[in-house]
Amino acid sequence: MQWSDEAIILGARRHGEGSVILEVMTAGHGRHLGLVRGGRSRRMQAALQPGNAVDLVWRARLDEHLGNFTVEPTDLRAARLMETPVATYGVLLLAAHLRLLPERDPHPELYAALRIILDELHEPLHAGALVVRFEMALLDELGFGLDLSECAATGTAEDLVWVSPRSGRAVSRAAGEPYAAKLLPLPGFLAGGAAASGDGIPAMIDETATESGLAPRSIEAGDIHDGFRLTEFFLTRHVLEPRGIAIPEARAGFLKALARALGG
C-alpha cells in the first residue's frame, strides 16, 4: 500500500531510540499517523514541528497498519508561529480540534481552511475571527452546524443579532428582544455572507482572511469574545460532553494570549 499527499504537521511523539510517530492533517487522507524513522535527528526535528507544511509518502504492507512516512518539507512556518503566544497557542488549538475528527476520515475543506489560518495567526484580531470560524466549520463537519442564514422565528435575513441555544438558529433583534436573556449573542462577522450561505468552509474562512471579504478592521474585540462564547457552547454540548472530554487546554491559553494582545 502506498499513497502521496500534502500535509500539515499536528504533532509528533517519540518512538524507540531515534524515530517518531508523526501526526498530520492531509489534503486527501484526513488526520493520519505514520512512523518517521530517524525523526529525532537534528535535521528532521526542525522539519517535524506543528504547523509546518510537508509532502508525504505513506507506505505499509496493509491499509490498517501504522505505516511509514517519508517527509519532504515545503513550508517551515513553525519558527514564525513560535514568535507570538497567540500563534503558538493557535496552532496547538487547531491541532486539538482536528483530533476530534475520526482518524483517516478525509476533510479536504478543513485542511484548506487550516492552510489559510496558519498564515494569518500573526495578527491577533484576525486570528481570533479565523479560529472562531474554524470552530464553526468543525461543528458543521461533525454534523452540528449552526443555521445563521435567517431568523428562526420570522424568516428574515436582516438584523440577526442572537442565536437560539436550543436550535442553533439565528434570531433577529425584533423577534428575540423579549427573550434576550436566554439567547446567545451573534457577532456581526458570523451573520450572513459565506458563513451562513453554504458556500463552503474555505470560502467562509477566506472571507475573513482577505481584504476582498470582511476586513480585519470591521471586527471588534467584543465580537471575538461573543464568537468564542457561541462556539464553546455548542462544541461543549454536542461534541465534548457526549465524549466525556473537556475543552482543550490550548483554547484557554489562546484566549488568554488573545485578550492580552488585544488589550482586554
Side-chain angles (χ1 to χ4, degrees):
M1 302 290 298
Q2 177 175 321
W3 52 256
S4 59
D5 206 346
E6 61 182 57
I8 303 292
I9 293 175
L10 303 181
R13 65 178 186 267
R14 178 176 176 174
H15 183 80
E17 290 297 320
S19 300
V20 299
I21 295 177
L22 189 68
E23 181 184 29
V24 298
M25 184 66 181
T26 67
H29 297 82
R31 185 174 62 86
H32 212 289
L33 301 177
L35 181 69
V36 179
R37 299 189 184 279
R40 296 186 61 225
S41 68
R42 180 173 299 180
R43 181 182 69 84
M44 290 299 296
Q45 280 184 347
L48 303 183
Q49 297 299 312
N52 283 344
V54 297
D55 285 335
L56 290 177
V57 177
W58 178 82
R59 296 182 179 89
R61 189 169 65 87
L62 297 175
D63 184 61
E64 59 266 26
H65 288 177
L66 173 65
N68 295 288
F69 279 146
T70 301
V71 180
E72 183 64 35
T74 58
D75 186 354
L76 300 181
R77 63 164 69 85
R80 301 195 302 273
L81 292 171
M82 290 188 289
E83 290 177 355
T84 68
V86 169
T88 300
Y89 280 111
V91 68
L92 295 177
L93 175 57
L94 293 168
H97 281 329
L98 290 169
R99 292 186 183 108
L100 296 171
L101 301 171
E103 189 182 345
R104 304 190 181 190
D105 188 11
H107 292 273
E109 290 197 330
L110 281 180
Y111 173 79
L114 178 65
R115 289 185 64 94
I116 294 170
I117 296 173
L118 288 175
D119 288 330
E120 299 291 331
L121 287 176
H122 60 278
E123 211 293 321
L125 191 61
H126 217 182
L130 287 166
V131 174
V132 167
R133 284 194 153 169
F134 189 87
E135 293 185 345
M136 292 279 292
L138 181 66
L139 281 165
D140 192 59
E141 287 285 284
L142 291 172
F144 304 107
L146 309 185
D147 182 357
L148 307 181
S149 59
E150 62 182 26
C151 176
T154 66
T156 182
E158 303 298 324
D159 202 23
L160 303 176
V161 298
W162 286 296
V163 177
S164 166
R166 185 178 65 177
S167 67
R169 298 185 63 189
V171 180
S172 67
R173 189 184 309 275
E177 192 67 48
Y179 316 100
K182 299 180 179 179
L183 300 174
L184 297 166
L186 172 61
F189 74 94
L190 290 181
S197 65
D199 288 344
I201 296 169
M204 183 181 76
I205 299 292
D206 198 50
E207 183 182 72
T208 304
T210 63
E211 290 292 330
S212 61
L214 189 62
R217 60 180 174 273
S218 66
I219 305 171
E220 298 181 356
D223 295 329
I224 304 301
H225 173 80
D226 288 343
F228 278 112
R229 178 185 172 193
L230 179 67
T231 53
E232 180 171 337
F233 179 87
F234 288 102
L235 280 170
T236 300
R237 169 189 280 183
H238 294 306
V239 182
L240 302 177
E241 285 187 348
R243 302 187 191 189
I245 57 179
I247 286 282
E249 291 184 7
R251 195 175 192 269
F254 178 76
L255 294 180
K256 184 176 181 180
L258 193 63
R260 186 180 298 113
L262 297 176

